[in-house]
Structures are given as structure tokens and as C-alpha cells.
């Protein structure tokens, strides 16, 4: 465990060195937050209580999305390109022979990245949004802890998805096509464009049970206190089950890739 804690700390420090990029990211997220906020204001003026949200809920949703866009990898996990490149060049063979689990290593590194992004690019946009707009704030202090727990689970699901995307490069050689499909899935089915509660009929039902819902829609609803008691445990279970399934699939892909490397190496 000490090894992976060190890897996580290294991931945090690595991203902390890019202070200018962090400032640019905060600026970009804030600008898009303002654009989306005024778009949502116009939409909710025309359709009050759309998706079960009032205006304050909808505005809070916007700024939660801007805060979590990098934390939960809504448009990319932040590590998959590097891992795909190591697979493409064959450097991954060295990683697989190390006395450390490949998946856990990358998970720890991504955990450090996500923690830094939460502090560096997550808090500031939410503060700007709360100061500029009448956003809904939690009524109970413990909701913030529940929200952070849901964000952690969402980041885990995100890692599991992007790890599987990267592993596909073992068989496809170039994983960019899968990256683009996953990017579009995250953009649409996470609720980044619109809350999934707004999606109509069967499309909404499908979107709310896909793993991408764990990355934004569920944490946002936890923040908005739409889950209480057993409902909150159910939300955590939904995220946890997807994390377990996807991490298990990633481990199976890793085992198959390891066998392929051993056979080719032999």
C-alpha cells in the first residue's frame, strides 16, 4: 500500500507543477459556466421545474458540472493517452513485468490527479458560480461529505471506463477511435450537456442506468439532497456496482494482455 500511496502522491505533485494550465482551466471552466448558466436560465424560464429542478438547482448543476469535468474525467481520464502510447510503443511490457499491479498503479496515479483537479480546478468555479448566481446550496452540512463520497465513486467509475478504453489498444493498435466513442458517451450520457432527468422516455431511462451517470448526475443529485437515507445508500450502491463491474472487466483485459505479451515475448 505504501507504494501506491507514493504513486498517488506523485500523481498529485505532477499535476500541481502545471500552475499556468490550472489557472487557464479555471478560467475556461468559469467562462463556460457563465455561458451554460444563462442558457439554463432561459430554458428554465420557459420550462419551470424542468426535470424536477427549480432554477437554483439547475444553476447549481451547471457549476457542479464545471467543477467535476476534470475530476471525474467527463471528457477524458487524463491518463489514457499516455497508457495507449506505452502500449503502442511496446513499453507496456516493462510495466507488466514490474512487481506492481498495472491497474492499481494507474488507479493510484489517477487518484492523485483527481485530488489535485478537485482542489485546483474544482472549487474555484463553484465559488464563482455561487457568488454570481443564486445557486442552491445544501441545507445540511453533512451533505458536503456525502457529495465528496459520491464524487470519489464517480472518479473511480471514470478511471475504470478510461482504463478499459486504453486496454483496447492491445488489440486495436490505435485506440483513438475508442477514445472518441468514449468521449462522446461521457459528453452525452454523463449529463454534461443537460441533466439526465430532462431526457425523455426510454432514452432518459437508459441514460440514468449507464455508468456515465455515476460521474455527474448522481453526485449532482447527492449535492441537491435528492437522495436521503436508504436512497443515498442506493445511489452509492449504483456507483459502487458499476465501479466493481468495470474494474473487474479492466482486470480481465489486463490478464488477457499479459498473456499476449508473454506469448509474443516467448
Amino acid at each position: 500500500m505504501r507504494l501506491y500511496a507514493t504513486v498517488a502522491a506523485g500523481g498529485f505533485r505532477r499535476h500541481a507543477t502545471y500552475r499556468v494550465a490550472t489557472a487557464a482551466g479555471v478560467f475556461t471552466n468559469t467562462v463556460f459556466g457563465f455561458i451554460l448558466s444563462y442558457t439554463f436560465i432561459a430554458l428554465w424560464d420557459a420550462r419551470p421545474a424542468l426535470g424536477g429542478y427549480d432554477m437554483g438547482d439547475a444553476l447549481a448543476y451547471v457549476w457542479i458540472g464545471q467543477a467535476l469535468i476534470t475530476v471525474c474525467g467527463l471528457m477524458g481520464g487524463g491518463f489514457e493517452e499516455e497508457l495507449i502510447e506505452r502500449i503502442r510503443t511496446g513499453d507496456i511490457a516493462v510495466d507488466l513485468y514490474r512487481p506492481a499491479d498495472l491497474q492499481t498503479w494507474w488507479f493510484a496515479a489517477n487518484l492523485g490527479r483527481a485530488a489535485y483537479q478537485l482542489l485546483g480546478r474544482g472549487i474555484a468555479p463553484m465559488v464563482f458560480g455561487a457568488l454570481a448566481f443564486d445557486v442552491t446550496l445544501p441545507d445540511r452540512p453533512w451533505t458536503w461529505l456525502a457529495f465528496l463520497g459520491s464524487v470519489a465513486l464517480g472518479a473511480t467509475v471514470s478511471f475504470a471506463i478510461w482504463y478499459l478504453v486504453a486496454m483496447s489498444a492491445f488489440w486495436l493498435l490505435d485506440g483513438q477511435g475508442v477514445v472518441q466513442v468514449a468521449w462522446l458517451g461521457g459528453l452525452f450520457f454523463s449529463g454534461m450537456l443537460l441533466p439526465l432527468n430532462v431526457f425523455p422516455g426510454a432514452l432518459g431511462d437508459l441514460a440514468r442506468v449507464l455508468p456515465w451517470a455515476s460521474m455527474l448526475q448522481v453526485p449532482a443529485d447527492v449535492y441537491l439532497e435528492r437522495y436521503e437515507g436508504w436512497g443515498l445508500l442506493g445511489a452509492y450502491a449504483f456507483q459502487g456496482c458499476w465501479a466493481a463491474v468495470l474494474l473487474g472487466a479492466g482486470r480481465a483485459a489486463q490478464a488477457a494482455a499479459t498473456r499476449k505479451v508473454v506469448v509474443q515475448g516467448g
Side-chain angles (χ1 to χ4, degrees):
M1 291 299 295
R2 181 179 298 178
L3 169 63
Y4 300 117
T6 302
V7 172
F12 186 98
R13 289 194 301 270
R14 175 184 178 184
H15 289 272
T17 60
Y18 301 107
R19 295 184 178 88
V20 175
T22 299
V26 170
F27 176 78
T28 302
N29 291 150
T30 302
V31 170
F32 274 99
F34 272 87
I35 294 171
L36 286 173
S37 291
Y38 286 116
T39 302
F40 274 42
I41 287 172
L43 181 58
W44 260 260
D45 274 341
R47 297 283 303 276
L50 182 64
Y53 292 158
D54 60 24
M55 182 71 76
D57 295 342
L59 290 171
Y61 186 94
V62 167
W63 292 98
I64 292 169
Q66 294 306 304
L68 299 186
I69 191 171
T70 53
V71 177
C72 290
L74 303 182
M75 300 178 67
F79 70 92
E80 68 282 351
E81 296 287 352
E82 182 180 353
L83 182 51
I84 288 173
E85 181 63 16
R86 293 189 67 81
I87 295 171
R88 189 186 66 81
T89 60
D91 292 339
I92 194 68
V94 177
D95 300 338
L96 290 170
Y97 281 113
R98 286 174 179 167
D101 180 69
L102 183 70
Q103 186 184 55
T104 309
W105 178 286
W106 283 96
F107 176 76
N110 188 67
L111 181 64
R113 179 204 63 81
Y116 174 74
Q117 295 294 354
L118 178 62
L119 296 175
R121 289 183 60 174
I123 295 176
M126 288 191 70
V127 171
F128 287 134
L131 292 174
F133 299 94
D134 186 18
V135 305
T136 298
L137 296 173
D139 292 327
R140 295 179 289 274
W142 66 265
T143 299
W144 289 101
L145 294 177
F147 172 63
L148 289 176
S150 185
V151 169
L153 287 169
T156 302
V157 172
S158 171
F159 165 80
I161 290 174
W162 289 108
Y163 186 77
L164 273 172
V165 168
M167 284 290 105
S168 70
F170 270 105
W171 294 272
L172 300 178
L173 300 182
D174 183 0
Q176 292 307 309
V178 182
V179 168
Q180 290 301 314
V181 171
W183 182 84
L184 288 172
L187 183 68
F188 188 76
F189 288 113
S190 68
M192 185 178 170
L193 298 178
L194 278 173
L196 301 183
N197 298 337
V198 175
F199 288 18
L203 177 61
D205 294 337
L206 174 64
R208 286 188 290 272
V209 299
L210 291 175
W212 289 285
S214 299
M215 296 156 60
L216 174 55
Q217 184 66 56
V218 174
D221 282 339
V222 170
Y223 171 93
L224 294 171
E225 298 178 332
R226 294 170 70 90
Y227 296 115
E228 296 182 1
W230 290 107
L232 179 60
L233 292 178
Y236 283 166
F238 172 79
Q239 293 177 290
C241 285
W242 269 122
V245 168
L246 293 169
L247 287 172
R251 187 158 294 280
Q254 177 182 314
T258 302
R259 288 194 296 270
K260 182 178 180 181
V261 169
V262 169
V263 169
Q264 289 179 345

